[in-house]
Each structure stands twice: as structure tokens, then as C-alpha cells.
Amino acid sequence: MLFAVRMDVDIPRDLDPEVRADLVAREKTYCQELQKTGEWVHIWRCVGQYANISVFDVADNEALHRLLWNLPLFPYMRVEVTPLAQHPSDLAAAAEGVA
């Protein structure tokens, strides 16, 4: 199942700088691991914001829930999830016989 997920991050300004650096480093490592497994398909930064829009390809809602909850920055995020479906006008899908 494909999901588009917007993640807005709001780390408290008074968080210890070392704790913040550790959280950000662990987030990057986790994100890159998920990209290598193919679960985190795309990630785009929202310009001028500490936010991103990502596409995830996971087995089901529970898998996405587990993946998001394990993000080190999750406690500091506002998350919006949108399930995705193939668009009937997608030429690539039509060429693959999906549409």
C-alpha cells in the first residue's frame, strides 16, 4: 500500500543541543535504512519549513503506524497520512497494464 505522509517537525527550542543532535542523527539513519529497504520510497523537503512530504510503500496500515511511531523525532511531529491509489490517467500504469 502506498501512503503520502506529511511530517511537520517542532523540536522544543529549549531541548538540550546534544539530545537534539542525537535525535536528528538517529532520525537520518532510520530514514536511510527505510529507503534502502524500499519502504520509504520518496522524501521531499518542504522549502522554508522543518517539514517533509514522503511516500511510503508498506504492507498495511499497521506497518505504516509502526514505522512512523519508531521515528526518533515522532514525539515532535504533526503527521498527516493520505492513502494513495493509481490514477486512471497514469500513462506509466497503462503501459504496465495496471490501469
Side-chain angles (χ1 to χ4, degrees), residues 26-86:
R26 289 189 297 121
E27 182 83 10
K28 181 177 182 177
T29 298
Y30 183 57
C31 170
Q32 291 175 344
E33 289 171 5
L34 293 170
Q35 288 176 68
K36 289 175 185 173
T37 67
E39 293 172 290
W40 199 323
V41 180
H42 298 287
I43 182 171
W44 295 275
R45 174 67 59 141
C46 298
V47 177
Q49 303 170 32
Y50 195 177
N52 69 67
I53 297 174
S54 299
V55 175
F56 293 91
D57 187 359
V58 293
D60 53 29
N61 292 344
E62 181 59 34
L64 180 65
H65 181 82
R66 185 173 45 255
L67 181 151
L68 294 174
W69 269 85
N70 284 321
L71 290 168
L73 290 175
F74 183 80
Y76 308 107
M77 290 183 178
R78 184 174 53 88
V79 177
E80 294 177 29
V81 176
T82 304
L84 299 174
Q86 195 72 47

